[in-house]
Amino acid sequence: SAVISQKPSRDICQRGTSLTIQCQVDSQVTMMFWYRQQPGQSLTLIATANQGSEATYESGFVIDKFPISRPNLTFSTLTVSNMSPEDSSIYLCSVARGGGAETQYFGPGTRLLVL
Amino acid sequence: QKEVEQDPGPLSVPEGAIVSLNCTYSNSAFQYFMWYRQYSRKGPELLMYTYSSGNKEDGRFTAQVDKSSKYISLFIRDSQPSDSATYLCAMKLPNTGNQFYFGTGTSLTVIP
């Protein structure tokens, strides 16, 4: 398993501002993922953060809106830029385990409300 | 058609009941099947993990995979109020590092 922490746990932000979410893992991992979870919807993968290379973004998500850093094997940040109310959601980081990354372990999430 | 379908519920049962949670999927190539439990205001927690077909039991929890029907189930025996949470199924194709497919989750309440 993995112990994952996220900061902040929640925030209320104004439209047009940016928020950076931190994710810390208790052991080194190759792949870290950022998800968005909106009410009544399944988890949506935003991007995969690999150490030492650019993040890989899923369709519908762009680096200008969601820049990601991965400075080492235990830490990553996701920034939600130029926020609008539509960005209100839960943001989760996760790490993959298993030889083929068969399972994921999630952080507690960051609850974001944009006014 | 969504890759993974899951009835959102809500599902409400009395304490001690047997709970059956289900997901169907469309891609027969899925090989890895998972169930996550998510308490309110918490991140999803891996509950059960199954590779390919068959059953897996862990305490009061049993995960079943029926690949011929493209159907997976999670059974909870002797349900407890502490089992009240949202349960998400998830699936993964082999040799794909980051392609997990999640259901929308089923909300379960166990009434004392």
Side-chain angles (χ1 to χ4, degrees):
Chain A
S1 64
V3 178
I4 304 169
S5 60
Q6 283 185 237
K7 289 181 181 179
S9 59
R10 61 175 59 204
D11 209 340
I12 300 174
C13 300
Q14 296 298 318
R15 181 195 299 261
T17 63
S18 297
L19 176 72
T20 295
I21 303 168
Q22 299 179 6
C23 179
Q24 180 75 52
V25 189
D26 67 338
S27 57
Q28 294 183 342
V29 293
T30 304
M31 285 187 289
M32 294 178 73
F33 308 104
W34 286 99
Y35 284 87
R36 183 169 70 184
Q37 186 179 30
Q38 295 180 314
Q41 299 185 21
S42 60
L43 296 169
T44 303
L45 180 64
I46 297 171
T48 301
N50 298 306
Q51 195 270 336
S53 64
E54 293 283 334
T56 304
Y57 289 84
E58 298 300 307
S59 176
F61 298 96
V62 295
I63 187 171
D64 290 346
K65 176 67 175 177
F66 297 100
I68 287 171
S69 77
R70 182 79 198 275
N72 57 54
L73 291 173
T74 63
F75 187 80
S76 178
T77 67
L78 169 76
T79 299
V80 186
S81 303
N82 188 25
M83 288 184 285
S84 66
E86 291 71 33
D87 294 319
S88 298
S89 186
I90 300 172
Y91 292 86
L92 295 153
C93 72
S94 73
V95 302
R97 290 292 196 206
E102 295 88 22
T103 60
Q104 289 192 72
Y105 297 88
F106 288 87
T110 295
R111 282 150 185 80
L112 171 61
L113 177 63
V114 183
L115 302 177
Chain B
Q1 181 187 9
K2 288 184 181 179
E3 295 274 4
V4 179
E5 298 275 2
Q6 184 175 9
D7 187 339
L11 185 61
S12 183
V13 301
E15 182 175 355
I18 297 175
V19 177
S20 173
L21 304 168
N22 310 295
C23 287
T24 59
Y25 61 93
S26 57
N27 191 338
S28 58
F30 284 130
Q31 287 281 12
Y32 303 97
F33 304 90
M34 289 139 278
W35 285 95
Y36 288 85
R37 177 176 62 195
Q38 186 173 22
Y39 290 114
S40 179
R41 303 184 183 282
K42 300 287 186 183
E45 167 196 11
L46 182 64
L47 196 60
M48 298 286 283
Y49 160 69
T50 308
Y51 171 71
S52 194
S53 295
N55 295 358
K56 186 173 184 179
E57 188 173 323
D58 183 2
R60 296 185 294 110
F61 299 89
T62 300
Q64 274 186 0
V65 176
D66 182 347
K67 295 195 74 179
S68 61
S69 301
K70 298 180 191 172
Y71 189 88
I72 69 170
S73 300
L74 177 70
F75 297 96
I76 307 174
R77 291 184 299 279
D78 187 24
S79 56
Q80 303 295 309
S82 59
D83 295 327
S84 298
T86 296
Y87 291 81
L88 299 102
C89 62
M91 308 178 189
K92 186 178 181 295
L93 298 167
N95 303 317
T96 55
N98 62 349
Q99 288 300 319
F100 289 79
Y101 296 83
F102 288 88
T104 53
T106 299
S107 175
L108 171 67
T109 300
V110 181
I111 302 168

